[in-house]
Amino acid sequence: MGSLFDQLTAKVSNSNKKIVFPEGLDERILTAASQLSAAGVVTPILIGNQESIEKKAAANNIDIASCTIIDPQEYAEFDAMVEAFVERRKGKATEEDARKILLDENYFGTMLVYMNNADGLVSGAAHSTADTVRPALQIIKTKEGIKKTSGVFIMVRDDEKYVFADCAINITPDSQDLAEIAVESAQTARLFDVEPRVAMLSFSTKGSAKSPETERVVEALEIAKEKDSSLVIDGEFQFDAAFVPSVAAKKAPDSVLKGDANVFVFPSLEAGNIGYKIAQRLGGFEAVGPVLQGLNRPVNDLSRGCSADDVYKLAIITAAQAME
């Protein structure tokens, strides 16, 4: 695990990336922000009332002297932010609406990223995924050609690294969604120095079973190939055919994948969520993420059960995404 974050830390150090933490009163956030600023890895921006944040930090013996604190109530450029938000929402919010909405720390933090006053955002220690993702979808929005954001986990055990997608966002992705997830997950893999070999997973391997579910995966494979003809990708595969060379030789001897896939696209959120948790709990893998992909600027979501170390690592990942 150390080598993965050693590589990413070396990549982002001295890049002076500014990462917003809307949950400035959370002890885990304060601890990670203190460590990040002390190490010179990123410049943390804490959102909230300055006096309250400083009091909370002092009570927990956390040094945040090198962190920037921004209070939405006192923000000098708030009027400009309101104007930019109304423009971005294109008639879906009045100026009066905007002044209320932007006092919400997640919306405020997301606007800092949108207005280039920060490079990325990490939230979710005290908020739901929806609270973190909704402002990003409304303000930062998805990249051109991408309809939906998705969430991957980087599964790490010693020197092994795999990408599991989508394990966080899309409940029942259609063929187009699965193709997007595959292409975006391959790009995310490269961020972690994984040369992607993508398997589209199912309960069938190369037509061993036929159903609307398997046909959706087969169709997604063709769409993904059209989107990126250079991608090493195949499907539909059962997991063992994608991962075990001897099984691959029997079930899919003509495939470009020889049981050596390292990016796994699950056919549904249900399958992906179950799959990564089995690998984590039974396989001893560390699950890093979810890392959100497909957005114009990096926004990432913490688990509410996260540790300060989780916050630290996700901030580094967010900074690395901002360098792409």
Side-chain angles (χ1 to χ4, degrees), residues 232-255:
V232 178
I233 183 171
D234 205 0
E236 85 282 18
F237 279 136
Q238 292 158 290
F239 185 83
D240 55 355
F243 190 67
V244 182
S246 61
V247 177
K250 289 176 184 173
K251 291 189 174 183
D254 299 326
S255 174

Side-chain angles (χ1 to χ4, degrees), residues 28 82 107 125 129 165 241 251:
R28 296 162 296 175
V82 166
Y107 274 94
T129 294
K251 291 189 174 183

Side-chain angles (χ1 to χ4, degrees), residues 110-127:
T110 303
M111 280 300 294
L112 287 179
V113 178
Y114 173 66
M115 296 176 75
N116 294 317
N117 291 320
D119 300 291
L121 178 145
V122 172
S123 187
H127 289 89

